[in-house]
Amino acid sequence: MEIINFADHDSIVSRYMMELRDVNIQHDPMRFRANLERIGEIMAYEISRRLEYKDEEIRTPLGPCVCRTPADQVVLATILRAGLPFHQGFLNYFDRAENAFVSAYRKYKEKGDSFDVLIEYMASPRIDDKVLILVDPMLATGSSMELAYKALLTKGTPARIHVASVIASRQSIDYVKAHFPESTTVWVGAIDDEVNAHSYIVPGLGDAGDLAFGEKD
């Protein structure tokens, strides 16, 4: 399995990552959403280089021209709600993609910090023989991503899978390696070493959904 960590090389992604993490900047929800979207756009461009392409002849005002266009059908799948601005970044570039949405949430048990991840809702096209891009800004344990993937498999078997996150933990990377096909490619803005007792990534950035859309009751 290929793991592509943008933090391994200097790029403008590092600036956006810094702003997402910085407590003095991240509480501007419009900027927080914009940075998630911009990282999504950059990852979409990089993933586009892995697609299959075909020749397509068009006409310009001065004559015919052969252009290279994607031959793959892309399905963008997002875990609600934090994934929405990140998803939009991908959709800005993959504007012909089909879209899938999965609602996954943590149901905490009566005592302690343990919880189960439950899938409550899914809307998806068929994904047979398509390129599935699963996006979620925070990959803490990997269990939500796995459950979303399993739910999507009820709609078919994709030709290729890309998993994209802004921040992942070492634990979640190991989990994805163990539970996703070997051919999966994982794209992350950074990999942090620790997950705390509440299953939040440390240092991470906090609750991406709350920072993007406001605190929930």
Side-chain angles (χ1 to χ4, degrees), residues 84-106:
L84 289 174
F86 194 37
H87 179 101
Q88 185 60 50
F90 282 85
L91 191 58
N92 289 346
Y93 279 29
F94 293 123
D95 58 337
R96 294 176 179 267
E98 296 176 284
N99 295 268
F101 299 93
V102 179
S103 173
Y105 70 98
R106 296 177 176 184

Side-chain angles (χ1 to χ4, degrees), residues 98-203:
E98 296 176 284
N99 295 268
F101 299 93
V102 179
S103 173
Y105 70 98
R106 296 177 176 184
K107 184 176 182 180
Y108 284 90
K109 298 178 181 179
E110 291 185 6
K111 295 182 180 180
D113 297 315
S114 62
F115 58 86
D116 295 319
V117 177
L118 302 179
I119 300 293
E120 191 171 57
Y121 166 85
M122 184 182 74
S124 173
R126 297 296 304 178
I127 64 172
D128 297 286
D129 302 318
K130 299 174 183 177
V131 175
L132 177 64
I133 305 176
L134 267 166
V135 307
D136 188 12
M138 306 301 288
L139 193 61
T141 65
S143 56
S144 294
M145 190 69 81
E146 182 203 10
L147 287 176
Y149 169 61
K150 286 184 174 179
L152 288 162
L153 287 180
T154 64
K155 301 297 184 179
T157 303
R160 291 184 299 285
I161 303 165
H162 297 272
V163 171
S165 288
V166 174
I167 301 176
S169 70
R170 297 281 177 193
Q171 172 185 329
S172 69
I173 294 296
D174 291 340
Y175 190 92
V176 169
K177 286 180 177 179
H179 292 85
F180 278 71
E182 175 61 29
S183 57
T184 301
T185 304
V186 179
W187 306 77
V188 294
I191 300 174
D192 290 352
D193 288 328
E194 185 180 344
V195 176
N196 67 16
H198 298 282
S199 293
Y200 280 99
I201 302 171
V202 180

